[in-house]
């Protein structure tokens, strides 16, 4: 579905009473449309293992969809498309909540009551109105530009066709490690070791480059 179709589903949901079958149908179609659009972002998860990142994102998506179903009336089409609203929530709120709580507690997240997590439309207006790109977009831009060639030069010793740039971009595109392993005919453990070793070395450079380019 394109933005126009998704936006219309959001409006359809808002136009029907809470708890009604019509609203539930519109919300179900909206959530399914987002999932199958391929445009739900992959928030930056530098420092997380592949398995842990997948786990965090899955839980963040679950919280996101729950929030949308309960808070669709908080969405304002005048501020942004419903897809941008959802991606903003995913990156700047729910993925951070999951990451922060998991890291603090090292155990499954227990979300606080839904009512305590509501955000007013005026607060959304501030966040959505700034039009700042998502961090994942900034990371992708940094990797794709590769001004100094560092990411392309960082290769697997015995498989120079597999470099850090290519590997991270595959992950940002949503490819699972099993798929990448099969694509390059390289063991997942080898890819994972290379990924984490390279990431520890290049993460400060990535952060510095993004801050310098975008004055963050």
């Amino acid at each position: 579905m394109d933005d126009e179709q998704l936006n219309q589903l959001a409006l359809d949901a808002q136009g029907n009473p809470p708890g009604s079958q019509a609203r539930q149908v519109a919300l179900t179609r909206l959530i399914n449309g987002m999932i199958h659009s391929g445009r739900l972002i992959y928030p930056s998860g530098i420092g997380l293992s592949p398995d842990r990142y997948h786990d965090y994102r899955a839980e963040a998506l679950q919280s996101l969809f729950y929030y949308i179903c309960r808070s669709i009336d908080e969405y304002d089409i005048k501020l942004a498309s419903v897809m941008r609203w959802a991606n903003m929530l995913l990156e700047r709120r729910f993925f951070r909540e999951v990451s922060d709580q998991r890291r603090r507690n090292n155990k499954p997240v227990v979300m606080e009551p839904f009512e305590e997590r509501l955000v007013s439309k005026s607060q959304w207006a501030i966040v959505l109105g700034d039009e700042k790109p998502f961090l994942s977009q900034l990371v992708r831009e940094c990797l794709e530009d590769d001004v100094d060639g560092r990411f392309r030069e960082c290769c697997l010793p015995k498989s120079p066709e597999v470099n850090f740039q290519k590997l991270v971009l595959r992950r940002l595109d949503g490819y699972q490690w099993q798929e990448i392993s099969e694509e390059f005919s390289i063991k997942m453990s080898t890819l994972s070791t290379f990924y984490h070793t390279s990431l520890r070395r290049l993460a400060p450079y990535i952060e510095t480059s993004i801050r310098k380019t975008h004055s963050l």
Side-chain angles (χ1 to χ4, degrees), residues 3 9 14 22 25-26 28 32 45 59 65 67 93 108 134-136 142 161 181 185 189 201 207 211:
D3 278 342
L9 287 172
Q14 290 177 335
V25 169
T28 299
N32 287 336
E59 186 156 3
F65 297 148
Y67 181 90
R93 180 172 183 177
F134 297 113
L135 180 57
S136 55
C142 179
E161 74 279 8
S181 173
S185 298
S189 58
R201 180 164 57 86
E207 181 178 355
R211 289 185 179 280

Side-chain angles (χ1 to χ4, degrees), residues 90-157:
L90 177 59
E91 176 168 271
R92 302 188 186 185
R93 180 172 183 177
F94 293 113
F95 190 82
R96 289 181 182 179
E97 283 185 356
V98 172
S99 299
D100 290 345
Q101 293 188 52
R102 288 282 191 94
R103 285 166 176 164
R104 284 198 303 269
N105 305 328
N106 193 28
K107 60 183 179 181
V109 176
V110 177
M111 302 300 291
E112 67 261 33
F114 171 78
E115 290 76 15
E116 296 179 15
R117 296 187 285 119
L118 291 177
V119 178
S120 69
K121 287 187 177 182
S122 61
Q123 289 173 298
W124 287 139
I126 294 173
V127 178
L128 289 168
D130 61 16
E131 289 299 324
K132 291 182 179 178
F134 297 113
L135 180 57
S136 55
Q137 293 173 316
L138 298 181
V139 172
R140 173 183 287 279
E141 180 182 308
C142 179
L143 267 291
E144 289 178 340
D145 291 346
D146 195 13
V147 178
D148 298 327
R150 295 194 186 189
F151 308 132
R152 289 188 297 271
E153 292 174 357
C154 183
C155 307
L156 271 171

Side-chain angles (χ1 to χ4, degrees), residues 157-170:
K158 296 182 179 180
S159 303
E161 74 279 8
V162 180
N163 58 48
F164 182 74
Q165 179 195 55
K166 187 177 295 184
L167 189 58
V168 176
L169 290 178
R170 288 287 197 284

Side-chain angles (χ1 to χ4, degrees), residues 46-64:
I46 291 177
L48 294 176
S49 68
D51 289 340
R52 183 167 295 181
Y53 178 86
H54 178 75
D55 188 26
Y56 284 18
R57 183 174 182 271
E59 186 156 3
L61 284 173
Q62 183 178 10
S63 297
L64 168 67

Side-chain angles (χ1 to χ4, degrees), residues 9-11 13-19 23-24 27 30-31 34 62-77 79 82 85-86 88-89 93-94 112-121 123-124 128:
L9 287 172
L11 294 177
Q14 290 177 335
N16 289 283
R23 175 177 279 220
Q24 186 58 47
L27 286 170
L30 174 61
I31 298 302
M34 287 179 173
Q62 183 178 10
S63 297
L64 168 67
F65 297 148
Y66 174 74
Y67 181 90
I68 289 175
C69 288
R70 292 291 300 273
S71 279
I72 189 61
D73 290 323
E74 296 297 315
Y75 168 63
D76 188 345
I77 195 172
L79 297 178
V82 71
W85 181 63
M88 182 277 294
L89 286 166
R93 180 172 183 177
F94 293 113
E112 67 261 33
F114 171 78
E115 290 76 15
E116 296 179 15
R117 296 187 285 119
L118 291 177
V119 178
S120 69
K121 287 187 177 182
Q123 289 173 298
W124 287 139
L128 289 168

